[in-house]
Amino acid sequence: MENVYRHLSKKSDEKGRHVKDPTKALAYAANSFVTRTVPNIEGNTRVLAICATTDHEDFASGMKDGWFLSDFYLFNFLMRNVCAAQTWITAEDPANLVKKYGEYLHGNPYGTRSVVLDEKMLKDQVHSPVTVVPAQGLKPAFLDALRRENELSMRNNEPLLLLVFGHGLEETSAVWLAANPDPAEMVRSPESDQHRWLHISEVKAIVASNPKVTLFSTACYSGGWAVTPDLSISALTAAGPAQQSESCCESGSTGRCCGSIFMSAFVEAAKQEAENMSAAEQNVAAVGPAGKSTSDAVKRETAATYADFVGSIHDALVTRVDRFGTGHQIQFSAQEDDWENSASGRSGIPLRTFAERWAQLEMRAPTMDPNASSNRDCSVDAAAVDTAPVDLNSLTAARRSTSTTTLGHLHARFGGFIPSARSMVRQLAMVYLASHPGRPTLPGNGGPSGDCKMLAQNNAATIDWDWNRLEGLFSHLEYRLSAIKAATEFLRQADIPLPDGLECERFDQETYSRSSEVLSKYELWTDLLWEVKRDDAILPKCALSPWRFLKPYEYIAAAIFKLPVAGLDEARPMLERLRAVATRTMEMQSRSLERTGRVHEKKRQWFQSMGKRLRSLSPRKRLSGRDFANSRPTSSRGTQSEWA
């Protein structure tokens, strides 16, 4: 796939503001943005929101995708009774969620968190009503509501605010709206599966002629909605077109992730703007010209412009919420490049009441030490990073006990005896957790990490999982551990020094990616990581998930980055060597397997581990050797982007 997103995002300024008109971009670069303006009338916005999280296999838990629900219900609470009309679509009854999981919180567990959904809030009816639809009807319900609300928005000259909480797709920035959150079904789909994804083109077809549309999204790769040149809307998005979005850190008490980091930054900026508007209005009223009414005086420049407000979201992110905030690459756009309208006027978000509503939420005390180096809050010393070494003794012991494990159908291998299968997968889970797999706050990591921790922290006999769920985790672990091993071997065969002399399983890519060595040349790091990720000839993307398992890509990128390379041109010969090694290794392995007595079985094992031929993990299908797909995922270089 062409590097479309990164090329477009170069037009964004240092705070993620993406100006689409080249002439306006030059003007803003020269003169900066106006920061204050006359406030618009608030309260006439039409809101359409959807949360795509379902509770299949406990995905609504805070240990998995529950953080989307935390964002959804926080925004719902803050917006109640302040807009012309509101439609909130979800697949899960909030009462059932609270009964099963207890309260939903929002915020960093190292600080105070807010209760956004619990039994008391439901009893007191403090949220706007939600529309619960069958999971398979999420996308049709959203599109039907979008057509209706867009028509009313244009007829009544009212802003339309779209709030989309769900997982995104790297290639097109589409958002997953479907019944089954099984990652095997979320891989970049053939045409027959396009009904599962909400595409940019589908939204554009409905709202193209509406001059007052804003999208707020916490999805991975959601920045694609902001930078695409042929979608004229305002957009506030949680991640760059090539970036995954992140939730807040998991808590130490329950392992839950409570809301997105971007939402936390947005709320901080919104609260501050509400307070600024109130103070400015009071000041203007107090010193207003003689003979002018208070209402006339308040019409002066007391509101932030849209450009200033979204800039303050960026500032809140990097100075208060997340000391690694620049890595999110958040993106903003303004419809018709109208950056100097008021924040509420351009976005349709009624900011005036945010501080007051936020203060009404119950708070929960921190559950973790605020001074811990793992706290990403900006109050923590940026030089303090968690460098605790991996327990190599446990890693070696666990690997020794599983070294003879081969890929295959668990049910057949263990003769239908599930306790033995659980025990073996538990050992693999311990190996995986000890290998620095990456933050569980990243989509794609949360599910496997949460399940691995459940297995590792409990006796395997007490985990009541069926074969489908066990098979799903087993397949993820086999791919990820194979990719970790392959990354090390490919570097060795390409004569590229291992970063810090460490194998991939021992290399802490999280710590390294935030080191001064990387931050001093951050643009080169992101460019190099992009080049490694987009080349499926080196490490194919796993067909079990729409999100890449980043660790092996970051490991390879770190190895090249540590060499004396000044730019991508100098790095490309090493990438070519890696590509040649990977291709040769695949071919040699294939020829070797042809000479064995178990050709088809072992060939399928190799192809599965490296993402070549992967089976469907849909619980609707019987898992067997015949369920493997018959082709490798399409190389990203050959992918047709929806708006490339």
Side-chain angles (χ1 to χ4, degrees):
M1 181 177 64
E2 292 295 329
N3 195 341
V4 177
Y5 301 134
R6 292 186 56 78
H7 172 70
L8 289 170
S9 65
K10 294 295 184 183
K11 297 179 183 177
S12 303
D13 69 5
E14 72 280 359
K15 295 188 178 182
R17 294 174 292 207
H18 183 81
V19 181
K20 297 183 179 181
D21 186 328
T23 59
K24 290 186 177 181
L26 290 173
Y28 284 132
N31 303 317
S32 188
F33 293 95
V34 173
T35 60
R36 308 302 292 181
T37 189
V38 176
N40 286 70
I41 297 174
E42 295 189 359
N44 64 336
T45 299
R46 308 191 71 86
V47 178
L48 173 57
I50 187 165
C51 181
T53 299
T54 71
D55 200 33
H56 171 74
E57 294 190 353
D58 301 330
F59 265 77
S61 163
M63 296 181 68
K64 292 189 175 181
D65 285 352
W67 60 279
F68 287 118
L69 289 160
S70 292
D71 282 348
F72 180 80
Y73 282 104
L74 173 57
F75 224 130
N76 180 299
F77 175 82
L78 295 174
M79 300 281 281
R80 178 171 169 79
N81 294 331
V82 296
C83 294
Q86 302 188 37
T87 303
W88 298 80
I89 300 172
T90 178
E92 302 295 339
D93 188 318
N96 293 338
L97 294 175
V98 170
K99 182 178 180 179
K100 183 174 182 179
Y101 298 113
E103 62 187 11
Y104 280 74
L105 307 178
H106 199 287
N108 184 351
Y110 294 92
T112 57
R113 289 176 291 174
S114 300
V115 181
V116 297
L117 179 66
D118 68 358
E119 187 175 357
K120 182 177 184 300
M121 297 179 79
L122 290 174
K123 181 180 179 181
D124 294 343
Q125 298 183 349
V126 298
H127 294 100
S128 297
V130 299
T131 300
V132 179
V133 301
Q136 65 269 25
L138 282 171
K139 180 177 177 181
F142 180 80
L143 290 178
D144 286 346
L146 180 58
R147 294 184 188 97
R148 180 188 69 243
E149 292 302 315
N150 183 68
E151 180 181 347
L152 291 170
S153 165
M154 296 183 66
R155 181 191 307 168
N156 301 328
N157 194 29
E158 296 169 333
L160 177 60
L161 174 61
L162 309 178
L163 308 173
V164 180
F165 306 99
H167 288 298
L169 183 65
E170 183 175 9
E171 286 85 351
T172 64
S173 296
V175 181
W176 175 258
L177 300 180
N180 184 1
D182 184 343
E185 301 292 337
M186 296 177 67
V187 181
R188 188 178 58 78
S189 307
E191 288 301 318
S192 61
D193 283 339
Q194 290 307 300
H195 66 281
R196 301 170 185 264
W197 294 97
L198 176 66
H199 288 277
I200 292 175
S201 60
E202 293 173 302
V203 173
K204 176 189 174 184
I206 296 173
V207 305
S209 58
N210 191 335
K212 295 184 176 182
V213 181
T214 296
L215 170 76
F216 180 102
S217 179
T218 58
C220 290
Y221 318 113
S222 51
W225 293 75
V227 304
T228 179
D230 56 354
L231 179 66
S232 180
I233 63 172
S234 299
L236 300 89
T237 59
Q243 293 293 121
Q244 295 180 350
S245 59
E246 286 195 63
S247 67
C248 296
C249 299
E250 57 181 347
S251 68
S253 56
T254 63
R256 293 185 299 178
C257 298
C258 301
S260 67
I261 293 176
F262 178 68
M263 184 68 174
S264 294
F266 168 79
V267 169
E268 285 292 312
K271 288 191 301 178
Q272 186 63 56
E273 172 58 14
E275 294 169 358
N276 291 345
M277 289 176 69
S278 177
E281 288 169 2
Q282 291 176 15
N283 182 59
V284 168
V287 300
K292 294 287 185 179
S293 67
T294 299
S295 59
D296 289 336
V298 171
K299 290 180 182 178
R300 294 169 60 185
E301 297 174 353
T302 57
T305 61
Y306 177 72
D308 187 57
F309 174 65
V310 297
S312 70
I313 297 175
H314 176 274
D315 293 344
L317 175 67
V318 301
T319 64
R320 283 178 277 170
V321 175
D322 185 7
R323 54 196 170 96
F324 307 118
T326 55
H328 298 271
Q329 298 182 15
I330 59 177
Q331 295 285 311
F332 307 102
S333 66
Q335 196 165 16
E336 303 300 331
D337 280 326
D338 180 15
W339 294 92
E340 296 183 353
N341 197 344
S342 72
S344 292
R346 180 66 281 168
S347 70
I349 302 174
L351 300 172
R352 191 181 301 274
T353 61
F354 264 55
E356 177 185 348
R357 296 303 301 271
W358 177 265
Q360 297 172 11
L361 292 169
E362 289 190 23
M363 310 299 286
R364 294 289 181 263
T367 59
M368 302 174 74
D369 179 8
N371 297 315
S373 60
S374 52
N375 183 7
R376 293 171 63 165
D377 189 272
C378 296
S379 63
V380 177
D381 182 1
V385 292
D386 192 352
T387 56
V390 65
D391 184 352
L392 293 178
N393 291 329
S394 298
L395 176 63
T396 302
R399 186 187 301 108
R400 185 180 302 117
S401 65
T402 60
S403 59
T404 59
T405 298
T406 58
L407 292 169
H409 190 341
L410 284 179
H411 188 280
R413 184 184 313 164
F414 289 96
F417 190 60
I418 200 167
S420 296
R422 280 198 300 259
S423 180
M424 187 274 292
V425 176
R426 181 173 183 265
Q427 292 172 347
L428 279 177
M430 294 172 67
V431 173
Y432 173 75
L433 291 173
S435 69
H436 300 286
R439 303 185 297 281
T441 57
L442 292 171
N445 275 8
S449 293
D451 284 347
C452 284
K453 288 177 182 178
M454 289 179 65
L455 284 175
Q457 295 170 2
N458 296 277
N459 186 302
T462 67
I463 303 297
D464 186 21
W465 289 359
D466 61 19
W467 284 108
N468 284 324
R469 186 167 181 181
L470 204 60
E471 241 341 309
L473 178 59
F474 174 64
S475 297
H476 276 286
L477 293 178
E478 287 285 358
Y479 168 80
R480 292 182 176 218
L481 293 173
S482 295
I484 287 172
K485 180 178 180 181
T488 301
E489 292 305 313
F490 289 169
L491 287 180
R492 283 176 171 156
Q493 293 181 39
D495 293 324
I496 298 174
L498 305 185
D500 297 334
L502 297 175
E503 297 176 342
C504 186
E505 65 192 22
R506 299 176 60 195
F507 184 73
D508 185 354
Q509 73 283 354
E510 293 288 338
T511 298
Y512 179 69
S513 65
R514 297 165 180 166
S515 66
S516 58
E517 181 179 353
V518 169
L519 295 179
S520 64
K521 297 187 293 183
Y522 191 70
E523 185 172 352
L524 174 59
W525 166 257
T526 56
D527 287 346
L528 183 57
L529 180 57
W530 172 263
E531 289 294 323
V532 175
K533 283 197 305 179
R534 78 188 188 101
D535 193 342
D536 279 359
I538 297 176
L539 276 177
K541 179 180 177 181
C542 178
L544 294 171
S545 173
W547 313 289
R548 294 183 187 274
F549 175 45
L550 294 179
K551 178 181 175 65
Y553 299 99
E554 291 177 327
Y555 175 74
I556 291 173
I560 299 175
F561 188 81
K562 282 179 169 288
L563 298 175
V565 294
L568 279 180
D569 289 341
E570 295 183 19
R572 286 197 172 95
M574 281 163 280
L575 292 171
E576 286 294 335
R577 279 156 50 192
L578 280 167
R579 190 176 300 113
V581 163
T583 301
R584 184 172 66 248
T585 301
M586 296 287 188
E587 292 173 351
M588 290 175 60
Q589 181 72 12
S590 179
R591 287 196 298 269
S592 175
L593 292 174
E594 293 291 349
R595 293 193 294 269
T596 71
R598 299 174 62 199
V599 173
H600 297 295
E601 176 67 17
K602 290 192 175 183
K603 191 169 185 178
R604 183 169 62 245
Q605 292 168 13
W606 171 259
F607 284 140
Q608 180 189 11
S609 68
M610 295 312 299
K612 294 280 189 174
R613 300 177 68 182
L614 289 150
R615 63 178 173 236
S616 167
L617 293 178
S618 170
R620 297 186 300 274
K621 300 178 182 177
R622 177 176 177 81
L623 292 171
S624 70
R626 290 186 298 273
D627 287 332
F628 287 99
N630 293 319
S631 62
R632 65 171 289 178
T634 304
S635 168
S636 61
R637 289 171 295 174
T639 300
Q640 293 299 313
S641 171
E642 182 175 347
W643 44 272

